[in-house]
């Protein structure tokens, strides 16, 4: 059973930083795409960042990261080379970054459309609140 569990969210003042983590279990493929999405109340779910992931027993590697324009230069997506975990380092946070953040898996390549429909597996989400 594939399971994604986010952690690290919380409340922070504008200009602050947070680090989100996503622990992945039950999923091992040679290549896939890991991503962070977010959804604010009353808004559609939007892509934040993606990272192409490769599994070459027993290590994980990555190539190609993409970011939404709204977070470029402030957020960094990364993965752990020794275990299936995804991270999102968020700095210089803005009130408009407040949302529920989700990690997700696309079973093939990172899609250019950022469409949530192209991601099969999802975490339950974790809240990030940025106050001004």
């Amino acid at each position: 059973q594939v399971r994604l569990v986010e952690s690290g969210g919380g409340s922070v003042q504008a200009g602050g930083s947070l680090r989100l983590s996503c622990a992945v279990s039950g999923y091992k493929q040679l290549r896939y795409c890991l991503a962070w999405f977010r959804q604010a109340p009353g808004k559609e779910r939007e892509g934040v960042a993606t990272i192409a992931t490769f599994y070459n027993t027993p290590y994980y590697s990555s190539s190609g990261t993409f970011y939404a324009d709204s977070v470029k230069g402030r957020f960094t997506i990364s993965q752990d080379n020794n275990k299936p975990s995804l991270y999102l380092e968020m700095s210089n946070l803005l009130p408009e970054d407040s949302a529920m953040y989700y990690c997700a898996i696309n079973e093939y390549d990172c899609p250019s459309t950022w469409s949530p429909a192209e991601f099969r597996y999802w975490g339950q989400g974790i809240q990030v609140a940025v106050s001004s």
Side-chain angles (χ1 to χ4, degrees):
Q1 181 181 1
V2 180
R3 191 164 181 237
L4 289 73
V5 180
E6 300 95 339
S7 61
S11 298
V12 65
Q13 288 191 329
S17 300
L18 281 174
R19 184 182 193 234
L20 303 183
S21 299
C22 174
V24 180
S25 60
Y27 188 84
K28 281 185 180 178
Q29 296 293 334
L30 294 180
R31 61 180 293 168
Y32 52 97
C33 178
L34 289 167
W36 287 100
F37 284 79
R38 66 186 182 186
Q39 187 168 18
K43 295 188 176 181
E44 293 186 352
R45 190 168 296 189
E46 63 174 1
V48 174
T50 63
I51 184 168
T53 300
F54 304 91
Y55 178 56
N56 187 12
T57 309
Y59 300 108
Y60 297 82
S61 60
S62 62
S63 75
T65 56
F66 294 92
Y67 297 91
D69 289 342
S70 59
V71 306
K72 279 181 182 176
R74 301 188 298 119
F75 289 13
T76 302
I77 188 172
S78 64
Q79 64 166 59
D80 192 310
N81 289 338
N82 296 307
K83 59 182 179 180
S85 293
L86 179 68
Y87 307 99
L88 186 69
E89 298 277 358
M90 305 185 293
S91 62
N92 193 19
L93 282 161
L94 305 170
E96 49 263 44
D97 293 319
S98 297
M100 188 74 80
Y101 282 71
Y102 301 88
C103 57
I105 293 176
N106 174 297
E107 296 179 281
Y108 306 101
D109 297 315
C110 291
S112 60
T113 62
W114 295 94
S115 171
E118 297 193 59
F119 288 79
R120 180 174 180 181
Y121 300 106
W122 292 84
Q124 81 287 351
I126 194 160
Q127 187 70 46
V128 171
V130 184
S131 58
S132 57

